[in-house]
Amino acid sequence: PRRENCTVCHAYGGGGQGVKHGDIDTALLNPYATDDVHMGRDGFLWLGTQDGLVRFDGIRFVAVSGLNEPAFAPESSIRAAVQAPDGVLWVVPTRSDIVQRRDGRFTRMEGWLADTWRSMGLRYLFIDSRGRLWATNTGGIGYVGGDGKLVSLAPPSLYIGVNRRMIAEDSQGRIFFTGPDGVYRVDGERVTRVAAVASPRGLCADREGNLWIGVDGRGLFRFRDGVLTPVPLPADMPTCCESSVRMRR
């Protein structure tokens, strides 16, 4: 039997999608690449995909989308997900409002994003060492204040491109993020561009104070004391898309 044959019966068991089998629906017919992976504080692995959010408990996968969760209707493509220290899971759909999962229930945060943030949406979420939630997209940066609202330090631009937006925190607790034209640092309530480089994608800070930047089409760079230095890579390593840089702890 093929996947299509099995899904016809099992996905609609009990009279509807995911009724009899909560971890099976027609999203499994044409699965897309995973956009984001996050390990929650409760041990669940959350996968953000173009067909919705997927939870893995170590035994089975449970798909959550507009087909079985109204908070994700009508658009289920997920850009990012992260769990805050208070246990709330923040989920970023591609074109609709932010979704929160609190005490096991999903809620769409209608009107939470305003102005340009609402037009462009969020692209990446980050929890810093103090437990503060940060969000970014196309040169914009903001954090969630004590009242639960987004405090915008710089609005996102209307730039549409393929560069991946990232946030990193260095050993001094400073926040850095990527924009279409370089790497920026948060200084109090202001942002400052510290490295002018086109299309940065990966971003990571190490214990020695270096900031490592993956640049689309140009490879890996190290930024330290205001100086951007290219890092030689093996000749057989492609430099087309350094979209992720991570430091093993």
Side-chain angles (χ1 to χ4, degrees):
R2 298 169 58 85
R3 179 164 49 191
E4 291 79 2
N5 302 113
C6 297
T7 306
V8 168
C9 293
H10 292 290
Y12 290 96
Q17 293 257 29
V19 175
K20 184 176 181 180
H21 304 284
D23 56 345
I24 300 178
D25 65 38
T26 52
L28 299 176
L29 284 174
N30 296 290
Y32 287 90
T34 298
D35 292 331
D36 188 61
V37 180
H38 176 73
M39 176 64 75
R41 299 168 65 87
D42 51 9
F44 290 127
L45 186 67
W46 296 94
L47 312 175
T49 78
Q50 294 182 32
D51 270 329
L53 192 66
V54 178
R55 187 185 70 183
F56 180 59
D57 61 6
I59 299 177
R60 66 174 187 162
F61 292 91
V62 177
V64 182
S65 70
L67 296 174
N68 57 13
E69 174 51 62
F72 289 99
E75 192 269 324
S76 299
S77 181
I78 306 300
R79 282 178 166 177
V82 69
Q83 191 172 34
D86 61 1
V88 175
L89 183 71
W90 294 74
V91 185
V92 180
T94 300
R95 290 182 294 273
S96 55
D97 296 291
I98 301 300
V99 175
Q100 278 190 352
R101 181 180 185 269
R102 186 188 297 269
D103 298 326
R105 298 184 62 183
F106 289 98
T107 303
R108 179 185 291 186
M109 307 286 286
E110 294 186 11
W112 191 78
L113 295 175
D115 304 322
T116 312
W117 285 104
R118 182 165 182 78
S119 301
M120 299 301 294
L122 306 181
R123 186 62 183 86
Y124 184 74
L125 300 176
F126 178 81
I127 303 289
D128 68 15
S129 59
R130 295 177 294 175
R132 173 175 284 179
L133 175 64
W134 294 84
T136 187
N137 194 4
T138 58
I141 188 73
Y143 64 89
V144 178
D147 59 358
K149 297 181 180 180
L150 181 67
V151 179
S152 178
L153 302 183
S157 71
L158 297 178
Y159 171 86
I160 302 296
V162 297
N163 65 306
R164 186 171 177 83
R165 295 84 182 178
M166 301 293 290
I167 304 174
E169 180 182 16
D170 71 4
S171 57
Q172 300 180 46
R174 298 178 299 182
I175 296 296
F176 295 82
F177 65 99
T178 60
D181 60 350
V183 177
Y184 292 76
R185 183 182 66 225
V186 175
D187 297 311
E189 297 295 304
R190 299 182 299 107
V191 298
T192 304
R193 189 174 68 170
V194 296
V197 57
S199 300
R201 303 184 112 201
L203 188 65
C204 179
D206 66 20
R207 302 184 186 91
E208 287 71 40
N210 298 298
L211 195 64
W212 300 90
I213 307 167
V215 180
D216 191 15
R218 298 176 59 191
L220 182 66
F221 287 76
R222 182 180 65 181
F223 180 77
R224 184 182 179 92
D225 299 328
V227 179
L228 191 66
T229 306
V231 178
L233 297 175
D236 59 349
M237 181 175 179
T239 59
C240 63
C241 47
E242 281 65 30
S243 60
S244 181
V245 181
R246 292 288 186 269
M247 179 63 64
R248 182 175 181 181
R249 300 185 183 280

